[in-house]
Amino acid sequence: MPKRQPAAETAPAPVSESPTGLPAGPADGVADEVVTAVLTASRLLVSVSARSLAAVEETLTLPQFRMLVVLDSRGAMNISRLGEHLDVIPSTAMRMVDRLAAAGMLEREPDPGNRRQILIALTGKGR
């Protein structure tokens, strides 16, 4: 039987670490790109919202603006459902509706499916 040569000892390649303390790899670069993209997108959305509010700054509060956005995106609804979407009690939602209706941004109309309910809808000015 021939003698075996001793195996050459090789040191493992150095492993760099990511900021999380885990070994760095190609996924870390992708994760950084995704984080950067999400932060950029969120900053742009905040900017668009700020510009939209600035255009109507004298007449609208942020909660009132949220109400208009909910009605624009989800359509006319009764006061209870509107309060649920805004996470406020119906009396608070009704005060907001009263102010926006006085400003000509909302209108109240009877619900054709239920005569006991009133639907809150946007007007052209509210849109």
PDB file of all heavy atoms in Angstrom, residues 89-115:
ATOM      1  N   ILE A  89     -65.257  57.960  15.536  1.00  0.00           N
ATOM      2  CA  ILE A  89     -66.643  57.642  15.863  1.00  0.00           C
ATOM      3  C   ILE A  89     -67.562  58.421  14.923  1.00  0.00           C
ATOM      4  O   ILE A  89     -67.172  59.462  14.369  1.00  0.00           O
ATOM      5  CB  ILE A  89     -66.950  57.934  17.348  1.00  0.00           C
ATOM      6  CG1 ILE A  89     -66.714  59.409  17.677  1.00  0.00           C
ATOM      7  CG2 ILE A  89     -66.130  57.027  18.252  1.00  0.00           C
ATOM      8  CD1 ILE A  89     -67.122  59.785  19.095  1.00  0.00           C
ATOM      9  N   PRO A  90     -68.779  57.902  14.709  1.00  0.00           N
ATOM     10  CA  PRO A  90     -69.685  58.553  13.747  1.00  0.00           C
ATOM     11  C   PRO A  90     -69.952  60.033  14.025  1.00  0.00           C
ATOM     12  O   PRO A  90     -70.063  60.824  13.086  1.00  0.00           O
ATOM     13  CB  PRO A  90     -70.974  57.726  13.851  1.00  0.00           C
ATOM     14  CG  PRO A  90     -70.495  56.372  14.251  1.00  0.00           C
ATOM     15  CD  PRO A  90     -69.335  56.632  15.192  1.00  0.00           C
ATOM     16  N   SER A  91     -70.022  60.441  15.300  1.00  0.00           N
ATOM     17  CA  SER A  91     -70.284  61.861  15.575  1.00  0.00           C
ATOM     18  C   SER A  91     -69.135  62.749  15.102  1.00  0.00           C
ATOM     19  O   SER A  91     -69.354  63.862  14.610  1.00  0.00           O
ATOM     20  CB  SER A  91     -70.562  62.085  17.066  1.00  0.00           C
ATOM     21  OG  SER A  91     -69.435  61.724  17.842  1.00  0.00           O
ATOM     22  N   THR A  92     -67.903  62.259  15.238  1.00  0.00           N
ATOM     23  CA  THR A  92     -66.749  63.012  14.737  1.00  0.00           C
ATOM     24  C   THR A  92     -66.787  63.084  13.222  1.00  0.00           C
ATOM     25  O   THR A  92     -66.558  64.147  12.620  1.00  0.00           O
ATOM     26  CB  THR A  92     -65.436  62.357  15.209  1.00  0.00           C
ATOM     27  OG1 THR A  92     -65.419  62.352  16.630  1.00  0.00           O
ATOM     28  CG2 THR A  92     -64.216  63.093  14.673  1.00  0.00           C
ATOM     29  N   ALA A  93     -67.101  61.958  12.592  1.00  0.00           N
ATOM     30  CA  ALA A  93     -67.205  61.937  11.133  1.00  0.00           C
ATOM     31  C   ALA A  93     -68.298  62.893  10.667  1.00  0.00           C
ATOM     32  O   ALA A  93     -68.134  63.607   9.672  1.00  0.00           O
ATOM     33  CB  ALA A  93     -67.479  60.514  10.644  1.00  0.00           C
ATOM     34  N   MET A  94     -69.419  62.950  11.402  1.00  0.00           N
ATOM     35  CA  MET A  94     -70.522  63.831  11.016  1.00  0.00           C
ATOM     36  C   MET A  94     -70.117  65.298  11.105  1.00  0.00           C
ATOM     37  O   MET A  94     -70.467  66.092  10.222  1.00  0.00           O
ATOM     38  CB  MET A  94     -71.747  63.566  11.903  1.00  0.00           C
ATOM     39  CG  MET A  94     -72.953  64.398  11.509  1.00  0.00           C
ATOM     40  SD  MET A  94     -73.445  64.174   9.773  1.00  0.00           S
ATOM     41  CE  MET A  94     -74.327  62.653   9.892  1.00  0.00           C
ATOM     42  N   ARG A  95     -69.359  65.681  12.129  1.00  0.00           N
ATOM     43  CA  ARG A  95     -68.889  67.070  12.221  1.00  0.00           C
ATOM     44  C   ARG A  95     -67.981  67.411  11.045  1.00  0.00           C
ATOM     45  O   ARG A  95     -68.050  68.510  10.479  1.00  0.00           O
ATOM     46  CB  ARG A  95     -68.173  67.308  13.552  1.00  0.00           C
ATOM     47  CG  ARG A  95     -69.111  67.466  14.734  1.00  0.00           C
ATOM     48  CD  ARG A  95     -68.389  67.970  15.972  1.00  0.00           C
ATOM     49  NE  ARG A  95     -67.348  67.062  16.433  1.00  0.00           N
ATOM     50  CZ  ARG A  95     -67.540  66.027  17.246  1.00  0.00           C
ATOM     51  NH1 ARG A  95     -68.747  65.759  17.675  1.00  0.00           N
ATOM     52  NH2 ARG A  95     -66.529  65.269  17.624  1.00  0.00           N
ATOM     53  N   MET A  96     -67.122  66.458  10.675  1.00  0.00           N
ATOM     54  CA  MET A  96     -66.241  66.686   9.525  1.00  0.00           C
ATOM     55  C   MET A  96     -67.070  66.844   8.252  1.00  0.00           C
ATOM     56  O   MET A  96     -66.802  67.721   7.422  1.00  0.00           O
ATOM     57  CB  MET A  96     -65.239  65.536   9.381  1.00  0.00           C
ATOM     58  CG  MET A  96     -64.226  65.475  10.519  1.00  0.00           C
ATOM     59  SD  MET A  96     -63.263  63.950  10.545  1.00  0.00           S
ATOM     60  CE  MET A  96     -62.408  64.013   8.986  1.00  0.00           C
ATOM     61  N   VAL A  97     -68.074  65.978   8.097  1.00  0.00           N
ATOM     62  CA  VAL A  97     -68.952  66.045   6.920  1.00  0.00           C
ATOM     63  C   VAL A  97     -69.673  67.389   6.895  1.00  0.00           C
ATOM     64  O   VAL A  97     -69.786  68.023   5.835  1.00  0.00           O
ATOM     65  CB  VAL A  97     -69.952  64.875   6.901  1.00  0.00           C
ATOM     66  CG1 VAL A  97     -71.059  65.098   5.878  1.00  0.00           C
ATOM     67  CG2 VAL A  97     -69.220  63.563   6.615  1.00  0.00           C
ATOM     68  N   ASP A  98     -70.180  67.833   8.051  1.00  0.00           N
ATOM     69  CA  ASP A  98     -70.884  69.121   8.113  1.00  0.00           C
ATOM     70  C   ASP A  98     -69.992  70.248   7.600  1.00  0.00           C
ATOM     71  O   ASP A  98     -70.432  71.092   6.805  1.00  0.00           O
ATOM     72  CB  ASP A  98     -71.331  69.427   9.545  1.00  0.00           C
ATOM     73  CG  ASP A  98     -72.474  68.541  10.013  1.00  0.00           C
ATOM     74  OD1 ASP A  98     -73.155  67.920   9.159  1.00  0.00           O
ATOM     75  OD2 ASP A  98     -72.673  68.452  11.244  1.00  0.00           O
ATOM     76  N   ARG A  99     -68.744  70.275   8.044  1.00  0.00           N
ATOM     77  CA  ARG A  99     -67.820  71.339   7.616  1.00  0.00           C
ATOM     78  C   ARG A  99     -67.517  71.261   6.121  1.00  0.00           C
ATOM     79  O   ARG A  99     -67.476  72.277   5.428  1.00  0.00           O
ATOM     80  CB  ARG A  99     -66.535  71.269   8.430  1.00  0.00           C
ATOM     81  CG  ARG A  99     -66.730  71.694   9.864  1.00  0.00           C
ATOM     82  CD  ARG A  99     -65.426  71.724  10.640  1.00  0.00           C
ATOM     83  NE  ARG A  99     -65.688  71.985  12.031  1.00  0.00           N
ATOM     84  CZ  ARG A  99     -65.467  71.130  13.017  1.00  0.00           C
ATOM     85  NH1 ARG A  99     -64.917  69.963  12.767  1.00  0.00           N
ATOM     86  NH2 ARG A  99     -65.744  71.438  14.261  1.00  0.00           N
ATOM     87  N   LEU A 100     -67.281  70.036   5.640  1.00  0.00           N
ATOM     88  CA  LEU A 100     -66.954  69.882   4.215  1.00  0.00           C
ATOM     89  C   LEU A 100     -68.177  70.124   3.328  1.00  0.00           C
ATOM     90  O   LEU A 100     -68.035  70.634   2.209  1.00  0.00           O
ATOM     91  CB  LEU A 100     -66.354  68.498   3.957  1.00  0.00           C
ATOM     92  CG  LEU A 100     -64.958  68.292   4.557  1.00  0.00           C
ATOM     93  CD1 LEU A 100     -64.534  66.836   4.438  1.00  0.00           C
ATOM     94  CD2 LEU A 100     -63.946  69.203   3.882  1.00  0.00           C
ATOM     95  N   ALA A 101     -69.354  69.792   3.820  1.00  0.00           N
ATOM     96  CA  ALA A 101     -70.577  70.081   3.062  1.00  0.00           C
ATOM     97  C   ALA A 101     -70.807  71.597   3.000  1.00  0.00           C
ATOM     98  O   ALA A 101     -71.187  72.139   1.953  1.00  0.00           O
ATOM     99  CB  ALA A 101     -71.770  69.371   3.687  1.00  0.00           C
ATOM    100  N   ALA A 102     -70.540  72.293   4.108  1.00  0.00           N
ATOM    101  CA  ALA A 102     -70.675  73.752   4.120  1.00  0.00           C
ATOM    102  C   ALA A 102     -69.686  74.407   3.158  1.00  0.00           C
ATOM    103  O   ALA A 102     -69.978  75.457   2.578  1.00  0.00           O
ATOM    104  CB  ALA A 102     -70.459  74.281   5.535  1.00  0.00           C
ATOM    105  N   ALA A 103     -68.531  73.772   2.974  1.00  0.00           N
ATOM    106  CA  ALA A 103     -67.530  74.293   2.037  1.00  0.00           C
ATOM    107  C   ALA A 103     -67.826  73.872   0.593  1.00  0.00           C
ATOM    108  O   ALA A 103     -67.098  74.254  -0.321  1.00  0.00           O
ATOM    109  CB  ALA A 103     -66.138  73.798   2.433  1.00  0.00           C
ATOM    110  N   GLY A 104     -68.883  73.084   0.395  1.00  0.00           N
ATOM    111  CA  GLY A 104     -69.268  72.669  -0.953  1.00  0.00           C
ATOM    112  C   GLY A 104     -68.473  71.488  -1.499  1.00  0.00           C
ATOM    113  O   GLY A 104     -68.505  71.222  -2.697  1.00  0.00           O
ATOM    114  N   MET A 105     -67.775  70.772  -0.629  1.00  0.00           N
ATOM    115  CA  MET A 105     -66.943  69.655  -1.088  1.00  0.00           C
ATOM    116  C   MET A 105     -67.633  68.306  -0.984  1.00  0.00           C
ATOM    117  O   MET A 105     -67.216  67.341  -1.628  1.00  0.00           O
ATOM    118  CB  MET A 105     -65.634  69.621  -0.301  1.00  0.00           C
ATOM    119  CG  MET A 105     -64.778  70.832  -0.533  1.00  0.00           C
ATOM    120  SD  MET A 105     -63.238  70.690   0.363  1.00  0.00           S
ATOM    121  CE  MET A 105     -62.455  72.209  -0.106  1.00  0.00           C
ATOM    122  N   LEU A 106     -68.679  68.222  -0.146  1.00  0.00           N
ATOM    123  CA  LEU A 106     -69.441  66.985   0.009  1.00  0.00           C
ATOM    124  C   LEU A 106     -70.917  67.284  -0.149  1.00  0.00           C
ATOM    125  O   LEU A 106     -71.367  68.404   0.075  1.00  0.00           O
ATOM    126  CB  LEU A 106     -69.215  66.368   1.398  1.00  0.00           C
ATOM    127  CG  LEU A 106     -67.820  65.913   1.771  1.00  0.00           C
ATOM    128  CD1 LEU A 106     -67.825  65.333   3.183  1.00  0.00           C
ATOM    129  CD2 LEU A 106     -67.286  64.897   0.792  1.00  0.00           C
ATOM    130  N   GLU A 107     -71.654  66.235  -0.497  1.00  0.00           N
ATOM    131  CA  GLU A 107     -73.106  66.345  -0.533  1.00  0.00           C
ATOM    132  C   GLU A 107     -73.705  65.112   0.118  1.00  0.00           C
ATOM    133  O   GLU A 107     -73.086  64.050   0.159  1.00  0.00           O
ATOM    134  CB  GLU A 107     -73.614  66.496  -1.969  1.00  0.00           C
ATOM    135  CG  GLU A 107     -73.326  65.309  -2.864  1.00  0.00           C
ATOM    136  CD  GLU A 107     -73.744  65.539  -4.306  1.00  0.00           C
ATOM    137  OE1 GLU A 107     -74.240  66.632  -4.614  1.00  0.00           O
ATOM    138  OE2 GLU A 107     -73.569  64.613  -5.102  1.00  0.00           O
ATOM    139  N   ARG A 108     -74.884  65.299   0.660  1.00  0.00           N
ATOM    140  CA  ARG A 108     -75.615  64.191   1.266  1.00  0.00           C
ATOM    141  C   ARG A 108     -76.748  63.836   0.324  1.00  0.00           C
ATOM    142  O   ARG A 108     -77.445  64.711  -0.178  1.00  0.00           O
ATOM    143  CB  ARG A 108     -76.175  64.607   2.618  1.00  0.00           C
ATOM    144  CG  ARG A 108     -75.122  64.963   3.630  1.00  0.00           C
ATOM    145  CD  ARG A 108     -75.815  65.502   4.888  1.00  0.00           C
ATOM    146  NE  ARG A 108     -74.854  65.816   5.915  1.00  0.00           N
ATOM    147  CZ  ARG A 108     -74.452  67.037   6.216  1.00  0.00           C
ATOM    148  NH1 ARG A 108     -74.912  68.073   5.548  1.00  0.00           N
ATOM    149  NH2 ARG A 108     -73.578  67.224   7.184  1.00  0.00           N
ATOM    150  N   GLU A 109     -76.937  62.536   0.109  1.00  0.00           N
ATOM    151  CA  GLU A 109     -78.028  62.081  -0.753  1.00  0.00           C
ATOM    152  C   GLU A 109     -78.643  60.821  -0.157  1.00  0.00           C
ATOM    153  O   GLU A 109     -77.941  60.033   0.480  1.00  0.00           O
ATOM    154  CB  GLU A 109     -77.517  61.829  -2.172  1.00  0.00           C
ATOM    155  CG  GLU A 109     -76.325  60.909  -2.237  1.00  0.00           C
ATOM    156  CD  GLU A 109     -75.642  60.910  -3.595  1.00  0.00           C
ATOM    157  OE1 GLU A 109     -75.526  61.969  -4.212  1.00  0.00           O
ATOM    158  OE2 GLU A 109     -75.223  59.818  -4.006  1.00  0.00           O
ATOM    159  N   PRO A 110     -79.948  60.621  -0.343  1.00  0.00           N
ATOM    160  CA  PRO A 110     -80.583  59.414   0.199  1.00  0.00           C
ATOM    161  C   PRO A 110     -80.021  58.159  -0.479  1.00  0.00           C
ATOM    162  O   PRO A 110     -79.736  58.159  -1.670  1.00  0.00           O
ATOM    163  CB  PRO A 110     -82.065  59.586  -0.143  1.00  0.00           C
ATOM    164  CG  PRO A 110     -82.218  60.996  -0.586  1.00  0.00           C
ATOM    165  CD  PRO A 110     -80.885  61.510  -0.991  1.00  0.00           C
ATOM    166  N   ASP A 111     -79.861  57.111   0.320  1.00  0.00           N
ATOM    167  CA  ASP A 111     -79.403  55.819  -0.201  1.00  0.00           C
ATOM    168  C   ASP A 111     -80.574  55.167  -0.920  1.00  0.00           C
ATOM    169  O   ASP A 111     -81.615  54.915  -0.317  1.00  0.00           O
ATOM    170  CB  ASP A 111     -78.925  54.933   0.957  1.00  0.00           C
ATOM    171  CG  ASP A 111     -78.350  53.606   0.500  1.00  0.00           C
ATOM    172  OD1 ASP A 111     -78.507  53.242  -0.679  1.00  0.00           O
ATOM    173  OD2 ASP A 111     -77.732  52.928   1.338  1.00  0.00           O
ATOM    174  N   PRO A 112     -80.457  54.893  -2.229  1.00  0.00           N
ATOM    175  CA  PRO A 112     -81.576  54.297  -2.958  1.00  0.00           C
ATOM    176  C   PRO A 112     -81.938  52.897  -2.446  1.00  0.00           C
ATOM    177  O   PRO A 112     -83.079  52.456  -2.585  1.00  0.00           O
ATOM    178  CB  PRO A 112     -81.090  54.231  -4.415  1.00  0.00           C
ATOM    179  CG  PRO A 112     -79.656  54.575  -4.399  1.00  0.00           C
ATOM    180  CD  PRO A 112     -79.312  55.153  -3.075  1.00  0.00           C
ATOM    181  N   GLY A 113     -81.015  52.205  -1.815  1.00  0.00           N
ATOM    182  CA  GLY A 113     -81.278  50.862  -1.316  1.00  0.00           C
ATOM    183  C   GLY A 113     -81.843  50.824   0.095  1.00  0.00           C
ATOM    184  O   GLY A 113     -82.348  49.803   0.541  1.00  0.00           O
ATOM    185  N   ASN A 114     -81.740  51.951   0.825  1.00  0.00           N
ATOM    186  CA  ASN A 114     -82.200  51.991   2.207  1.00  0.00           C
ATOM    187  C   ASN A 114     -82.584  53.430   2.535  1.00  0.00           C
ATOM    188  O   ASN A 114     -81.722  54.285   2.738  1.00  0.00           O
ATOM    189  CB  ASN A 114     -81.091  51.496   3.144  1.00  0.00           C
ATOM    190  CG  ASN A 114     -81.524  51.424   4.590  1.00  0.00           C
ATOM    191  OD1 ASN A 114     -82.557  51.960   4.972  1.00  0.00           O
ATOM    192  ND2 ASN A 114     -80.717  50.772   5.398  1.00  0.00           N
ATOM    193  N   ARG A 115     -83.888  53.693   2.610  1.00  0.00           N
ATOM    194  CA  ARG A 115     -84.366  55.064   2.804  1.00  0.00           C
ATOM    195  C   ARG A 115     -83.942  55.664   4.140  1.00  0.00           C
ATOM    196  O   ARG A 115     -83.967  56.876   4.308  1.00  0.00           O
ATOM    197  CB  ARG A 115     -85.889  55.110   2.715  1.00  0.00           C
ATOM    198  CG  ARG A 115     -86.418  54.790   1.364  1.00  0.00           C
ATOM    199  CD  ARG A 115     -87.902  54.974   1.302  1.00  0.00           C
ATOM    200  NE  ARG A 115     -88.554  54.817   2.595  1.00  0.00           N
ATOM    201  CZ  ARG A 115     -89.788  54.437   2.771  1.00  0.00           C
ATOM    202  NH1 ARG A 115     -90.533  54.153   1.738  1.00  0.00           N
ATOM    203  NH2 ARG A 115     -90.307  54.339   3.970  1.00  0.00           N
TER     204      ARG A 115
END
